[in-house]
């Protein structure tokens, strides 16, 4: 299989490395708006570089496409690839708004093509075990879920206006995996945000820290929190508590959290530097799944409608934060 990859930045270079080593992938073709960057990555990995996405899609006879370019380009590239009948793996998000997302999904549906979205936490061993624990009934009736994503340091200031804000850019992963682990839908949200940290967040009309209470359709209560300024280190966790037991994802020696109880001891490992290291096996597994889905050997593990559902929750949180009120998901019915 020959795979074209668009965007050789942070995540795209990681994906390119995975694809060049993937069984059954015979050639990887790379392109980037910064042609020199694509050429450099291609040279390093023994891949082929191509001048533009359009040329990649039209003239190189690729069997599938991986989109890892900047967010603003995703929807257009998805549509272009679908119109050429090509299966697509696209990094989250499809678009930063619901109309743009739905338009891309319509094109994919009309073309009858495959679109997998890169919500890699679904491929993480801890989250998969949490889903299994919920399904097996070992936790009993679930009453509380606590999801969190804490980044050790803010992204570059120039990124913030393009990011869609903390809910759409960051917490969207928690919203997706919350739906996936529990198998339930969010029915209402009540969200707040704080911009009391670095001024770049106020300048971008964004927040550096956010919290939301989410109610699921079976009454389970969830909290989702995120921050861009977690000096202790990268910390992604989920705790699930039921009437019989409770479990945690992301809680181990690398969790940057110190217990102040004397009996707990003081040893604390080195935190993960960031998402690429923490979720490396999950990023690899999602592309292995994509190759299988393209071959027709396995179903699509995360289609575009899953991304739409997670984006709707993020939109509801953003509205709730701005308007200072609880927001029902029915406000976002399609
Ligand atoms: N799933 C995850 O955990 C995860 C993690 C990081 C990033 N992402 C997503 O991946 C995407 C890329 O993020 P990143 O951190 O690698 O960004 P980045 O800025 O490091 O890289 C983006 C690359 O895309 C290129 N580019 C921009 N527009 C293009 C276009 N129209 N055609 C071709 N190339 C183009 C840029 O030149 C750059 O090299 C974003 O949408 C982001 O939301 C997802």
């Amino acid at each position: 299989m020959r795979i074209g990859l668009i965007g050789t930045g942070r995540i795209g270079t990681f994906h390119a490395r995975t694809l060049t080593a993937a069984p059954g992938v015979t050639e990887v073709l790379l392109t980037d708006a910064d042609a020199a960057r694509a050429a450099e990555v291609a040279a390093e990995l023994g891949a082929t570089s191509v001048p533009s996405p359009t040329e990649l899609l039209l003239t190189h006879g690729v069997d599938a496409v991986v989109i890892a370019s900047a967010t603003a380009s995703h929807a257009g590239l998805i549509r272009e690839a679908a119109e050429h009948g090509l299966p697509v793996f696209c990094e989250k998000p499809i678009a930063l708004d619901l109309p743009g997302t739905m338009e891309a999904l319509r094109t994919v549906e009309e073309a009858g093509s495959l679109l997998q979205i890169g919500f890699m936490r679904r491929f993480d061993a801890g989250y998969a075990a949490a889903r299994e624990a919920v399904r097996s009934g070992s936790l009993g009736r679930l009453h509380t879920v606590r999801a969190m994503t804490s980044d050790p340091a803010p992204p570059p200031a120039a990124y913030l206006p393009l990011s869609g804000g903390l809910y759409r850019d960051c917490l969207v992963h928690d919203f997706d995996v919350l739906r996936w682990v529990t198998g339930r839908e969010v029915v209402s949200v009540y969200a707040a945000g704080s911009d009391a940290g670095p001024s770049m967040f106020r300048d971008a009309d964004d927040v550096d820290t956010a919290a939301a209470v989410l109610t699921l359709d079976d009454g389970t209560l969830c909290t989702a929190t995120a921050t861009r300024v977690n000096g202790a280190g990268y910390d992604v966790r989920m705790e699930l508590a039921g009437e019989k037991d409770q479990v945690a994802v992301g809680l181990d020696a690398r969790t940057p959290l110190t217990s102040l109880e004397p009996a707990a001891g003081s040893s604390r490992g080195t935190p993960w530097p960031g998402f690429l290291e923490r979720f490396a096996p999950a990023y690899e597994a999602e592309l292995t799944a994509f190759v299988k889905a393209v071959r027709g050997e396995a179903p699509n593990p995360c289609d575009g409608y899953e991304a739409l559902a997670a984006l709707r929750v993020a939109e509801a949180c953003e509205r709730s934060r701005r308007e200072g009120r609880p927001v029902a998901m029915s406000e976002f019915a399609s």
Side-chain angles (χ1 to χ4, degrees):
M1 182 185 301
R2 301 173 70 242
I3 298 194
L5 182 142
I6 303 171
T8 51
R10 283 186 308 173
I11 195 78
T13 299
F14 189 97
H15 286 332
R17 195 166 289 123
T18 300
L19 288 169
T20 49
V25 176
T26 51
E27 188 179 4
V28 180
L29 297 93
L30 309 177
T31 190
D32 193 288
D34 179 348
R37 181 163 175 86
E40 194 184 310
V41 177
E44 186 201 319
L45 298 177
T48 310
S49 75
V50 174
S52 74
T54 301
E55 190 175 325
L56 180 84
L57 297 173
L58 281 180
T59 59
H60 285 270
V62 292
D63 301 299
V65 181
V66 170
I67 299 172
S69 47
T71 294
S73 62
H74 291 185
L77 291 169
I78 288 172
R79 289 200 306 272
E80 213 176 323
E83 280 160 4
H84 291 96
L86 289 169
V88 173
F89 174 98
C90 184
E91 264 309 332
K92 65 84 193 165
I94 294 173
L96 288 175
D97 63 347
L98 295 173
T101 302
M102 289 190 281
E103 195 188 328
L105 291 181
R106 260 194 303 279
T107 313
V108 170
E109 200 164 301
E110 279 163 19
S113 59
L114 181 131
L115 171 63
Q116 180 182 332
I117 302 299
F119 280 126
M120 77 296 181
R121 291 189 194 178
R122 293 177 176 223
F123 294 87
D124 175 70
Y127 283 108
R131 176 175 149 106
E132 181 49 34
V134 171
R135 282 174 187 230
S136 72
S138 67
L139 303 181
R141 184 189 69 83
L142 202 59
H143 50 74
T144 309
V145 182
R146 291 177 284 269
M148 59 173 278
T149 297
S150 298
D151 281 336
Y159 175 74
L160 290 180
L162 311 174
S163 72
L166 196 51
Y167 294 103
R168 295 188 193 90
D169 185 47
C170 182
L171 274 165
V172 74
H173 280 291
D174 297 87
F175 302 150
D176 174 67
V177 84
L178 178 64
R179 293 179 60 249
W180 185 74
V181 165
T182 62
R184 312 303 313 191
E185 293 297 339
V186 176
V187 292
S188 68
V189 310
Y190 197 5
S194 168
D195 62 4
S199 62
M200 60 193 263
F201 292 94
R202 289 186 290 286
D203 296 343
D205 193 24
D206 195 1
V207 293
D208 57 75
T209 303
V213 176
L214 314 164
T215 303
L216 303 188
D217 57 10
D218 63 351
T220 304
L221 289 179
C222 311
T223 58
T225 62
T227 183
R228 304 269 201 197
V229 288
N230 200 51
Y234 185 70
D235 190 4
V236 172
R237 272 184 279 148
M238 177 180 273
E239 297 169 5
L240 300 103
E243 289 181 358
K244 288 187 354 199
D245 201 4
Q246 58 181 350
V247 292
V249 178
L251 181 64
D252 62 15
R254 300 192 75 158
T255 309
L257 180 68
T258 301
S259 170
L260 298 179
E261 300 305 326
S266 59
S267 65
R268 189 164 116 180
T270 309
W272 293 105
F275 55 85
L276 282 177
E277 296 81 8
R278 162 72 176 86
F279 289 108
Y283 288 121
E284 288 160 6
E286 66 181 358
L287 285 184
T288 303
F290 175 61
V291 170
K292 280 193 179 151
V294 173
R295 283 209 193 103
E297 293 169 5
N300 182 352
C302 186
D303 68 22
Y305 292 94
E306 302 292 306
L308 178 64
L311 179 64
R312 278 203 176 105
V313 179
E315 291 274 316
C317 286
E318 193 62 53
R319 185 177 293 181
S320 175
R321 163 180 97 78
R322 286 182 186 278
E323 299 183 6
R325 64 176 178 92
V327 169
M329 290 309 302
S330 54
E331 292 184 27
F332 292 85
S334 48

